[in-house]
Amino acid sequence: MMKDLKEAIENIISIFNFSLDSFYEEPERFYLFDPEYELKALDEVNLTKNIAVFGNCINITIRNIDAISISGSYTNEDLEAFHDWVKDNESQKVQLSISLEKKRYVYQKYQQCNVDLVLYINPNALAKNISYEGLEKHIIISNRPHVILVPLWEIDVISNNYLTFIGGSFDGVINGYLESLSIDSETIANSIQQRYELQRLYCNMGNRWGNILPNHLYFSDVSCQDPYLIIKRLNHFLFLISLHFIANVSTVNTFSIHGYKNVTISFADKEFINFEPKYSKIIFKLYDSIYESQTQDKLLITRNVMSIYLSPETSESEFVNILPELFSSYDANYDSYIKDKIKAFFDKKKELEKYVRDTSETLSKQIALVSENVSKSLLTVIGALIVGAITYSARGNMKVLAVFFFLFGFISLITMNFILSTANREKELQEKSFKHFINLIDGINETEKKKIIGDVIDSKYDLFKGIMFESNLYKYFIFLLSIVLAIITWNIGINIK
């Protein structure tokens, strides 16, 4: 339990008569070194009980002429020897080092949990690591859920879908709580990747900071006593990182907005800015709205609105003060934009539906025309063949009839080729024109376009292709028939002689 951990840490600090700020804290260990420690200040009463909480993750070494060490895994005999050594040297100054290997402790206690777990003994050390570099290296280190144990911070649990703080007031079983965290790491990773791809497409952040999103740092409802300013530092970087996802170009503390005019927002290079929570909520709401959908359009609206409300050189205080009004204007402009988009959508839809009807009618006329021309040509050819056969056979001039059949078949082939080739070119031009028009229609997504167009046009193109294929068969049939008749009548003419 966190209360046991909190009590053990506080007792160890008091046993050696040090303050919390006398210790140094790194992401992996919490330690102290005092080259002139007075042993008479050491209170051994609860030492054994408290170091046992940490097992072999804690090590205490005292050096004089010789040295003695003790850890949480020592036996009673070791503890007795330590006690005797302290009594023998209590009037002297010694070198004292205390080292708690936090990473090893967390791994041994909670290794089965599918989270990234970090322990911070001193809440001030955690607050100092809430920076661009510290967030990336020590707090948000992967796409898995991040849980930070802060036993000396008087909170219960503060959590969102990405980051959880568990403080000294938590009275549950930590392992059980960690196992209950049902966060889909794959979904989180995909969300992070998707938003960063959009950010890289529309913004130039320069050197981006790992996998940190504003979502990691946003807690919708936090009300706690926070003497260490952890929440305020989180709000500070939530504010800055949100602006990195909005600005056209940004450096660490400077953000350039290109709208109706160019605007630069500059933040003072200080440890942190004490934003009120309401402003952090507004900037997060703006960022989240932009990256939820239609990112390009929303960024354009946001940047234009910001360029209207802000002066060319804007300080952080000017920007923060005008933020509520700016967000309201963004909201109103986006509503107006959506109405315009809806109207444009229905206008485009009507235009597309009309074009589809016109194209369908044109194709029907072309199909009817091709069928009519082919039918006329076939009737003409057949009629000419019959008339020619009767005329020349009655005169007995079979060779002339053969030549007539050959020439007529050749002329029929050329004529049919011309008719069908012209029809096919018209069809190809019509198809290209139709596709070009469809591609020009914006404001309607591809799925909606397919619903409006339906399969009528494709069916008519298929019918047109079928008629062309059959017409080509008829063309070659007439040609071959003419050639066969020419050969037969030529041979008959030869035999008659």
Side-chain angles (χ1 to χ4, degrees), residues 60-92:
I60 300 167
T61 301
I62 301 175
R63 291 180 182 275
N64 190 1
I65 296 172
D66 56 353
I68 189 165
S69 296
I70 185 171
S71 76
S73 59
Y74 273 30
T75 64
N76 288 333
E77 291 180 0
D78 296 320
L79 295 170
E80 287 176 10
F82 176 76
H83 175 70
D84 293 341
W85 191 94
V86 170
K87 284 194 73 173
D88 292 341
N89 295 275
E90 63 183 358
S91 62
Q92 303 180 37

Side-chain angles (χ1 to χ4, degrees), residues 25 41 93 135 148 153 158 189 271 286 295 335 350 447 478:
E25 184 157 21
K93 290 184 178 181
L135 284 167
I148 300 176
W153 187 15
I158 298 173
E271 188 175 0
L286 178 60
T295 299
D335 286 344
K350 288 178 183 177
T447 304
I478 294 299

Side-chain angles (χ1 to χ4, degrees), residues 203-239:
C203 310
N204 182 2
M205 188 195 289
N207 294 323
R208 69 186 183 94
W209 292 276
N211 292 324
I212 307 170
L213 291 178
N215 307 66
H216 287 108
L217 311 180
Y218 178 65
F219 298 88
S220 59
D221 186 19
V222 176
S223 56
C224 67
Q225 294 297 319
D226 183 17
Y228 309 101
L229 305 178
I230 292 170
I231 297 299
K232 290 184 178 179
R233 289 186 69 89
L234 288 170
N235 283 339
H236 169 80
F237 285 98
L238 163 66
F239 209 100

Side-chain angles (χ1 to χ4, degrees), residues 392-399 401 488-497:
Y392 289 105
S393 60
R395 296 177 181 175
N397 196 340
M398 301 304 289
K399 287 185 177 181
L401 180 59
I488 292 171
T489 52
W490 184 267
N491 288 330
I492 291 173
I494 292 171
N495 292 331
I496 291 173
K497 288 184 176 182

Side-chain angles (χ1 to χ4, degrees), residues 3-282:
K3 289 184 178 179
D4 294 336
L5 178 59
K6 173 189 174 184
E7 183 180 342
I9 293 168
E10 288 176 337
N11 285 341
I12 286 173
I13 292 171
S14 66
I15 283 166
F16 287 93
N17 196 28
F18 282 108
S19 70
L20 181 64
D21 291 330
S22 300
F23 286 78
Y24 297 91
E25 184 157 21
E26 297 172 348
E28 295 190 1
R29 70 188 185 119
F30 177 73
Y31 65 98
L32 174 143
F33 177 74
D34 187 343
E36 294 187 329
Y37 180 67
E38 294 185 1
L39 274 176
K40 64 182 180 181
L42 175 62
D43 174 14
E44 290 184 74
V45 175
N46 293 314
L47 181 62
T48 306
K49 174 185 174 183
N50 286 286
I51 64 173
V53 172
F54 300 99
N56 60 3
C57 299
I58 193 169
N59 183 272
I60 300 167
T61 301
I62 301 175
R63 291 180 182 275
N64 190 1
I65 296 172
D66 56 353
I68 189 165
S69 296
I70 185 171
S71 76
S73 59
Y74 273 30
T75 64
N76 288 333
E77 291 180 0
D78 296 320
L79 295 170
E80 287 176 10
F82 176 76
H83 175 70
D84 293 341
W85 191 94
V86 170
K87 284 194 73 173
D88 292 341
N89 295 275
E90 63 183 358
S91 62
Q92 303 180 37
K93 290 184 178 181
V94 296
Q95 288 184 354
L96 170 67
S97 66
I98 303 172
S99 178
L100 170 61
E101 302 299 322
K102 298 190 300 175
K103 191 172 183 179
R104 186 200 295 181
Y105 172 78
V106 166
Y107 178 76
Q108 288 182 357
K109 286 278 186 179
Y110 313 109
Q111 59 182 313
Q112 302 301 320
C113 300
N114 186 31
V115 298
D116 285 321
L117 189 62
V118 178
L119 171 64
Y120 274 92
I121 306 297
N122 189 342
N124 283 321
L126 168 61
K128 288 177 181 177
N129 268 312
I130 299 175
S131 64
Y132 282 127
E133 294 77 14
L135 284 167
E136 178 186 356
K137 291 180 181 177
H138 308 312
I139 295 177
I140 301 170
I141 52 180
S142 78
N143 289 329
R144 298 198 306 172
H146 317 289
V147 178
I148 300 176
L149 303 178
V150 199
L152 300 187
W153 187 15
E154 291 297 329
I155 61 166
D156 182 5
V157 173
I158 298 173
S159 183
N160 58 29
N161 284 334
Y162 300 84
L163 188 59
T164 298
F165 295 96
I166 301 177
S169 300
F170 180 76
D171 60 359
V173 179
I174 296 176
N175 266 313
Y177 177 79
L178 296 177
E179 289 171 3
S180 72
L181 288 174
S182 57
I183 299 174
D184 188 345
S185 299
E186 187 176 348
T187 301
I188 290 175
N190 291 339
S191 172
I192 290 170
Q193 184 63 28
Q194 182 183 29
R195 293 203 168 187
Y196 260 120
E197 285 175 0
L198 289 169
Q199 190 273 341
R200 286 195 294 269
L201 187 61
Y202 300 121
C203 310
N204 182 2
M205 188 195 289
N207 294 323
R208 69 186 183 94
W209 292 276
N211 292 324
I212 307 170
L213 291 178
N215 307 66
H216 287 108
L217 311 180
Y218 178 65
F219 298 88
S220 59
D221 186 19
V222 176
S223 56
C224 67
Q225 294 297 319
D226 183 17
Y228 309 101
L229 305 178
I230 292 170
I231 297 299
K232 290 184 178 179
R233 289 186 69 89
L234 288 170
N235 283 339
H236 169 80
F237 285 98
L238 163 66
F239 209 100
L240 293 182
I241 292 172
S242 295
L243 273 178
H244 282 300
F245 278 76
I246 294 171
N248 294 82
V249 181
S250 58
T251 58
V252 176
N253 290 323
T254 304
F255 307 89
S256 297
I257 308 296
H258 302 158
Y260 296 124
K261 67 176 185 287
N262 292 342
V263 171
T264 300
I265 307 169
S266 300
F267 285 75
D269 188 14
K270 59 177 82 170
E271 188 175 0
F272 74 99
I273 299 165
N274 192 2
F275 293 117
E276 290 185 35
K278 67 178 181 180
Y279 295 120
S280 299
K281 288 184 178 182
I282 292 171

Side-chain angles (χ1 to χ4, degrees), residues 340-354 441-442 444:
D340 290 343
K341 289 279 280 187
I342 292 171
K343 182 178 182 300
F345 170 81
F346 284 109
D347 289 344
K348 295 285 186 182
K349 184 178 179 182
K350 288 178 183 177
E351 187 178 352
L352 180 57
E353 288 171 343
K354 182 178 182 303
I441 295 286
D442 58 0
I444 302 178

